[in-house]
Amino acid sequence: MPSHFTVIRDTTPASAIPKGAVVAMGNFDGVHLGHRAVIDAALRMGQAHGKAALAVTFEPHPRSFFSPNSPQFRLTTEANKLRLLAGAGLAGAVVMTFDKTRAGTSAQDFIHHDLIERLGISGIAVGYDFHFGKGRSGSASLLAAEAPRLGIEVDVQAHVDIDERPVSSTAIRMALAEGQIDDAAAMLGGPWFVTGQVVHGEKRGRNLGFPTANIRLDENCELKHGIYAVRVGRGRGKDFQRIDGVASFGRRPTFDNGAPLLEVFLFDFKDDLYGAELDVAFISFIREELKFDSVDALVARMNEDSARARADLAAAPGAFPRLGSIG
């Protein structure tokens, strides 16, 4: 894995862009197995020619630009997408701002100005169904047809299937919305995770003997409400800690039925986490969110949930996203 992951933006001087690089191009929401096939193709191409391999991706997600009033459940924030791309072994990522100008750029202009003139690429890998340029007129077949004239290598990756079902970001979102954590992890190539800052809650968990680290997820998150076995990452580099736990995501129907909140109870852990940023990886789905008739019944079930989570986590000792550092 490269020791330094470089992020190139629209404002990055041309002199700072490694010329002759090969690129993997896509939106890469989730960086799932289909995306990784494209990334691996770029890595092989770069290794064969002694060139750096970069990702080319777009922020905000084009769907958010074209449908700003339609909520979008993103699998990864921009920062976490970059951490996953770094963990995949790429030397860096080119993050192109997706705005009115870029949306109106023709596919040919994008190829010539952005890919050839600005980035100076020597090769590109894309998925079979990736489209770009005004009206989505750019395609893998267009790149392949232009390749000889442009003097670049083009690698088009077919879809990746699991149990005869194509892997896609949409399929993963649907799996998470249904609590099918194992299916989502299989398509992602590792557990789905979120990152957030620990905030103050009502401190009910502490009074019940289950103090929780509370994190507010994006309002468009469609993860199924329920109880999960989780693995938490805290810190970076040599200060990194990995801690097992059990989490509830939902509205707390026994108490207030309020706004959705992720509440994480960490096993055998005592430190104060207020204000800390945590990565929370979802390892298994234990049960749906329930309303209990009494606090005693809730506590009894929480003890059962914790025992089940410990067992599920013990059966998956290495399960955690492969994340790289962004420099």
Side-chain angles (χ1 to χ4, degrees), residues 79-102:
N80 281 344
K81 177 169 68 173
L82 292 173
R83 293 169 72 197
L84 286 165
L85 291 171
L90 293 162
V94 181
V95 182
M96 296 186 175
T97 303
F98 198 89
D99 53 16
K100 184 177 181 180
T101 299
R102 183 146 277 128

Side-chain angles (χ1 to χ4, degrees), residues 63 75 168-175:
R63 191 177 296 117
L75 299 175
S168 71
S169 298
T170 298
I172 295 166
R173 293 185 192 104
M174 291 175 61

Side-chain angles (χ1 to χ4, degrees), residues 115-167:
L115 298 182
I116 303 300
E117 292 180 6
R118 176 163 166 75
L119 297 181
I121 68 169
S122 61
I124 184 169
V126 292
Y128 74 102
D129 59 347
F130 184 72
H131 289 82
F132 60 93
K134 184 177 180 180
R136 290 169 53 86
S137 58
S139 64
S141 58
L142 175 63
L143 286 169
E146 289 284 281
R149 185 173 63 82
L150 298 172
I152 62 172
E153 184 176 348
V154 175
D155 188 308
V156 179
Q157 287 292 303
H159 58 78
V160 173
D161 292 343
I162 294 180
D163 296 330
E164 300 182 351
R165 293 183 302 164
V167 171

